[in-house]
Amino acid sequence: MKDLTILGVESTCDETACSIVRNGRDLVASVISSQIEIHKPYGGVVPEIASRKHVENIIPVLDECFTQAGTSLDQIDGVAVSYGPGLVGALLTGISVAKAIAWSLDIPLLGVNHIEGHIFANFLTHKDLQPPFLALIVSGGHSHIVYVKDYLKYEIIGKTRDDAAGEAFDKTARVLGLGYPGGPLIDKMAKEGNDTAFDFPKTKFSDNPYDFSFSGIKTAVINQINSMKMKGQSYRVEDVAASFQKAVVDVLVRNTIEAAKEIGMKTVCLAGGVSANSLLRKTMEEEGQKSGIQVYYPDLVYCTDNAAMVAATGYYYYMNEKFSDLTLNAVPNLRIDDQ
Ligand code: KG4
Ligand code: ZN
C-alpha cells in the first residue's frame, strides 16, 4: 500500500503546532510554538490572548514544519485538526487553516478529538503497540480512564467529577506560590520533599470506584497551609508538593490498575500533559509489574500538546474513511465517546 502522509494542526489551548506524520506512526516533522511565557504573568491561560497568538503563529509554524520536513504541501494526503475539546477561539484558528489547505489541495479534512489524540501519541513512541488497552488520559482539562477497544472505539470507564489532574497541579502550585504551569514545577520540587509529611485525601466513590475527584486534595492543601500559617508554624514547600503529588499519583494509579484488573486488560497507556510526571510514570510501572500489566507512556515531547498526535490520529480516521466536510466547527466540550 502507498504511504499515507498526514498534516496535523493543533490549536486547542496554548500551543500552536503543526506536524507531518507518515502512516500514523513515523514522524517526519513537528513544530510546537508554546505560549506559556505569555500566559505566565496571569497564572493561567487567557483565552482572548491565546486566540490572538494562534492567529499570529499558525502560518510561521506551518512554514517551519514544511521546511523541517523538506517537503511541500502537494505531498500531503490529508489534513487532520483538533476540533475539540478546547477554547473556542483557539480551536477556530486551527480549523480554518486546516479547511483552507484541504479545500485548496482537494484532499480529505479529518476533524479529530484532541483527547483521542493524546492516546495516539503513544503510537509515535511505541511503534508495535496495538489496541485493545486501557488508557489513563490526564491533562490540564481532562482525567479519564478509557477502554480503547480498537482504533477509534472507546468506552469511558472513569472520569473526574470536578477538577482535572493537571488543573489540580496548576491550582496547588499557585497556592504554593510556584508559578505556572504547576505540573512540572511541583514534579521538580517534590523530588526534594518528604511525601509522608502530610496526609491528603484520596477520594474513592462507591458508585463508580474508577471516577476521580481532585478538588478535595487542592482544598486540603489550602486548609493545611492556612492552618499552619495561623499557628505560626513553619513548613517546607517541598514537603507539601511531595505529599500532594503522592496523593494524586496514588489515586490515578490505584483506579487505573483496579480498572485494568476488572476488565482483564494487561496493557495500560498513559497520555496527556500529566503523563510527563516522573512519579506517575515510575509508580504506574512498578504497580503494573506487580500485576503483570505492561505500562506504556509517550516520549515527553508527545505528552503535552503537540500536532504529531493529531496527525497520527488523522491517519486512522483516513483509513476508516472518517472524513469531515467544510462545515466542520469547533466543539469546545467534545467528549471522547461522542464519535
Ligand atoms: O495535555 P496538556 O499539554 O494540555 C491539555 O490538553 O490540557 O496538559 C497540560 C497539563 C498542565 O496542567 C500541566 O501542569 C500538566 O499538564 N503537566 C504536568 C507535568 N507536565 C505537564 N503535571 C504533572 N507533572 C508534570 N511533569
Ligand atoms: Zn491536551
Side-chain angles (χ1 to χ4, degrees), residues 98-147:
K99 279 186 191 176
I101 296 172
W103 178 78
S104 60
L105 297 176
D106 196 20
I107 55 173
L109 175 68
L110 308 146
V112 314
N113 185 314
H114 175 84
I115 309 179
E116 194 179 12
H118 275 299
I119 300 175
F120 280 68
N122 278 284
F123 298 140
L124 296 160
T125 302
H126 309 288
K127 312 273 183 205
D128 299 326
L129 178 66
Q130 306 271 359
F133 54 77
L134 199 67
L136 171 70
I137 309 152
V138 268
S139 71
H142 310 279
S143 302
H144 285 93
I145 296 177
V146 174
Y147 177 19

Side-chain angles (χ1 to χ4, degrees), residues 15 114 118 139-141 166-167 169-170 181-184 187 272-274 276-277 303-305:
E15 265 89 28
H114 175 84
H118 275 299
S139 71
E167 196 179 350
F169 270 94
D170 294 338
D187 194 350
V274 181
N277 185 269
C303 287
T304 45
D305 290 350

Side-chain angles (χ1 to χ4, degrees), residues 200-274:
F200 293 127
K202 299 175 187 172
T203 309
K204 186 163 188 150
F205 294 102
S206 53
D207 52 342
N208 183 352
Y210 312 120
D211 273 358
F212 302 110
S213 166
F214 295 113
S215 71
I217 302 183
K218 175 201 66 194
T219 309
V221 171
I222 295 172
N223 291 343
Q224 181 70 48
I225 289 176
N226 285 345
S227 142
M228 289 186 295
K229 277 182 182 162
M230 265 163 38
K231 289 179 194 153
Q233 290 172 346
S234 63
Y235 62 90
R236 289 180 72 237
V237 173
E238 289 86 346
D239 293 346
V240 182
S243 304
F244 160 80
Q245 178 175 268
K246 174 93 169 57
V248 173
V249 166
D250 280 354
V251 169
L252 292 173
V253 173
R254 178 195 71 197
N255 289 12
T256 308
I257 298 288
E258 279 181 11
K261 284 184 184 164
E262 171 70 24
I263 298 174
M265 206 39 58
K266 290 287 176 197
T267 308
V268 163
C269 295
L270 307 184
V274 181

